[in-house]
Amino acid sequence: MASSREPRVLLPQLKLDELLEELQARIDAARGTRDRVHSLLEAVLSVGRELDLEQALHSIVEAAAALVDAEYAALGVIGPDGRTLSAFHTVGVSDEKITEIGPYPQGHGILGELIRHPEPLRLSKISEHPASYGFPPNHPPMRSFLGVPIRVRGQVFGNLYLTEKRGGLEFDEEDESVLSTLAVAAGVAIDNARLYEDSRLRERWLLANAEITHRLMPGSERSEALDLIAERARDITGSALAEVAMPMADTPSLTVEIAVGEGAEAHRGLVLPLHEGLMGLAYSTAAPVTSDDITRDDRITAEPPRFLGLGPAVAVPIGTGEVGARGVVLLVREAGRPVFSDKETEMLQGFAAQAAIAMELAERRQDAQQLALLEDRDRIARDLHDLAIQRLFATGMTLQSAGRFIEHPKAADRVLRAVDDLDETIKIIRSTIFGLRTREGGAGSGLRARVVRVAGEAAPVLGFAPGVRMEGLIDTEVPLRIADHVVAVLSEALTNVARHAHAHAVEVVLTTDGREVVLRVADDGVGIPSGGRRSGLRNMAERAEQLGGRLELSGAKSGGAVLTWSVPLPGEA
């Protein structure tokens, strides 16, 4: 009797185990791929959230190390020259180890290979590549290597460097693919962070310009605006030193009026040539001038030494175009800091141009106010001449005529003295009218204005503003020939104080009583040495002797020297 059961097919037990293992391996691989894709997406989202550029770069390095399971990771930022690294961000090496190793790499060897050829590079042994030339002392051992470039808007921004895959394994094609994908996302994140940084920077420049304009328009002193320009430019660019130099009238020179920051005292009051140095070239060409290291720049004079510990610098003209430069801003960073980029220079130039416009508007406003003041003075002068003087003259004539009919001698004498007083009052009023009608250049041609101008021009060289005091009818009673000598002597005296006296204060006093004019310049410096050069003093003495006057030198009670220069006025011996 035949059996009703179908024959059973028995698979060998070993074959089934292999199938199950293969299935498990594929499941594990799928799970691993899923997890890696998930990790990649998390990394992309993580780096994309960062708006601070430095933090974004650090996040990219951390994400790269985690994705390919590398012990060490770094991101090298390519510098402006396109051949070396300007920044290096690392993960996996402690700060103590970094200190032992020394300076960050500049982009030679394997790192430079990726700069020269911006394509993914995967090595099982770094030492076997022709471009490898070893590691510096105290550097941790590194064998396997994977590098990929990061591009931002089609330009290579930098490179990701991964070494030492954990477990002694080598980087594979999947690692390269994952890292290349991260590099694309990193490029977008870096671009966003840079755009955000640029927008924040432009906002700070705009706020600084608004602050300067707000300060200038109500009529603040120019020195306050220049000081604000220097402070804001130094703060925004992260500079250690900021200077503002302005042209000196009637001379081919600039003078540093404002200096803030490191070693500022050594710069204030310096007189610089117009066509030399960073500031002179920026002023004469009306274009920015940069230096990678100002301490080694042949365009900078070695004396006086004033840039110790500083490095990158940029000089930008204040104002350009038809009007030309009004001055120059110089910014200097500490040694080792990044050089000023083209974008930074462009923003600084825009800031300086806007500051120049604000200064121009403020000066026009002051000119309009001055014009209104002068018109008002003209009106007052006309009223004094047409009304007051005529009445006083008529009153004097009336008293003089009435005096003939007064028989009492003392009464007649008093009337005559009153007439003389009226004549003297008329002289004073006429002198006042002349002073009111004095114009700057026509204007500023009066001796008072010239003395103030000379004292003001000496302030940057002295390092402080001299005190100025004047008494008497200086503009009307001192003739032009003598006034020219007074101005020359004052300029020579202040120059001598600046060069030799080491003073902290100077007082200028100019007086006239109608018979002589006296100029007195007193300082609190070291006095006049007995063996010093006397050429300047001799010139001042000769000027006095030519006019029948004299020059006297004496010591001040509180130290320093007192120069007194006096000459008689015409008609008075």
Side-chain angles (χ1 to χ4, degrees), residues 79-101:
D81 60 3
R83 299 188 301 273
T84 58
L85 298 176
S86 62
F88 205 69
H89 303 266
T90 63
V91 166
V93 184
S94 66
D95 293 339
E96 293 79 8
K97 196 67 176 177
I98 291 173
T99 303
E100 292 177 9
I101 295 171

Side-chain angles (χ1 to χ4, degrees), residues 282-455:
Y283 181 85
S284 59
T285 61
V289 179
T290 60
S291 173
D292 292 348
D293 187 350
I294 199 168
T295 60
R296 299 182 181 180
D297 199 309
D298 295 336
R299 296 169 294 181
I300 302 297
T301 57
E303 296 295 334
R306 56 196 187 278
F307 293 111
L308 185 65
L310 301 179
V314 61
V316 175
I318 301 176
T320 54
E322 296 181 0
V323 179
R326 302 172 63 88
V328 185
V329 178
L330 174 71
L331 296 172
V332 191
R333 285 175 174 156
E334 294 176 344
R337 292 288 311 283
V339 298
F340 288 89
S341 66
D342 292 341
K343 184 167 290 186
E344 286 180 308
T345 303
E346 178 189 348
M347 289 186 181
L348 178 60
Q349 194 173 9
F351 167 73
Q354 290 296 323
I357 293 173
M359 293 171 67
E360 179 73 18
L361 291 173
E363 288 180 8
R364 294 294 176 90
R365 183 174 180 272
Q366 290 176 353
D367 288 344
Q369 291 176 338
Q370 183 68 15
L371 182 61
L373 177 63
L374 292 175
E375 289 177 348
D376 199 40
R377 286 182 175 181
D378 277 345
R379 179 187 59 77
I380 294 171
R382 285 195 304 271
D383 290 346
L384 287 173
H385 183 273
D386 296 342
L387 300 176
I389 287 182
Q390 300 304 324
R391 285 195 172 190
L392 289 173
F393 184 76
T395 301
M397 292 290 291
T398 301
L399 289 174
Q400 196 171 21
S401 299
R404 301 172 186 172
F405 302 102
I406 300 174
E407 297 179 357
H408 195 285
K410 289 186 178 181
D413 186 56
R414 286 187 178 182
V415 170
L416 291 176
R417 282 205 305 272
V419 172
D420 291 339
D421 288 343
L422 287 173
D423 287 340
E424 189 64 28
T425 302
I426 290 172
K427 287 181 182 179
I428 293 173
I429 293 176
R430 281 177 173 163
S431 174
T432 303
I433 292 171
F434 183 82
L436 286 170
R437 286 178 170 170
T438 298
R439 293 292 187 272
E440 193 64 46
S445 58
L447 181 54
R448 284 179 179 271
R450 294 173 68 186
V451 167
V452 171
R453 188 157 57 245
V454 169

